[in-house]
Amino acid sequence: MSLFSSFRRAEVHARAGERCEYCHLPTRGQVATFPIDHIIPKSTGAGHDLENLALACPPCNAHKWTAVEWSDPITGRLAPLFHPRRDEWNEHFRWVVGYVLAGATPSGRATVAALQMNNSDMVELRRLLAGLDLFPESEGI
Ligand SMILES: [Zn+2]
């Protein structure tokens, strides 16, 4: 039995625009169901309310697990992970040549590193999806 009702799941999907709220991988063209991430882990007592939920692709969800902060690869200091309800995606991330996602802030860089957003499989998947017009954000790269 799912932790979330079909109504709640539909709310999360619609708000996310049918894409991972971390790396922006679209649900379209994927065979795996995208999990619903607890932005602040439920193990800390955080709830299942809509404000604590985010749509995440399976790789982002698996790598994030219960993390809420990670080391910024440039400064070496801990930085809070990108928070889809509190933070603006475009302020923290930007696309660079080759379908690679770069962090534009300490939180963005920490999130790219923690969620391993640029592993070779993800970069190749973005390239393939772009070729099928299923990854509109790649336009202009
Ligand atoms: Zn993702």
Side-chain angles (χ1 to χ4, degrees):
M1 182 177 156
S2 174
L3 183 60
F4 304 106
S5 69
S6 57
F7 178 76
R8 177 52 53 95
R9 183 169 290 281
E11 279 182 306
V12 172
H13 273 254
R15 182 181 61 191
E18 293 294 342
R19 64 185 180 183
C20 174
E21 295 191 64
Y22 295 99
C23 75
H24 281 186
L25 184 72
T27 60
R28 188 165 174 237
Q30 305 299 312
V31 294
T33 300
F34 278 30
I36 295 177
D37 172 55
H38 287 82
I39 300 167
I40 304 300
K42 56 188 176 203
S43 61
T44 66
H48 306 302
D49 58 296
L50 198 55
E51 288 304 302
N52 192 38
L53 303 177
L55 190 64
C57 69
C60 283
N61 187 255
H63 290 118
K64 181 175 174 285
W65 194 236
T66 59
V68 293
E69 60 184 7
W70 203 262
S71 177
D72 172 357
I74 290 182
T75 66
R77 294 185 177 157
L78 286 176
L81 295 181
F82 173 74
H83 189 298
R85 300 284 74 76
R86 192 179 59 212
D87 300 331
E88 285 293 323
W89 196 93
N90 289 327
E91 292 178 10
H92 292 276
F93 304 102
R94 60 186 166 79
W95 294 106
V96 294
V97 174
Y99 308 103
V100 171
L101 193 56
T105 63
S107 288
R109 292 188 297 267
T111 304
V112 168
L115 278 54
Q116 301 180 32
M117 291 172 157
N118 290 321
N119 76 43
S120 59
D121 289 337
M122 291 304 287
V123 173
E124 180 65 7
L125 179 58
R126 291 175 193 137
R127 188 187 69 75
L128 293 169
L129 290 171
L132 298 169
D133 287 331
L134 293 176
F135 200 63
E137 290 194 47
S138 63
E139 290 172 12
I141 294 178

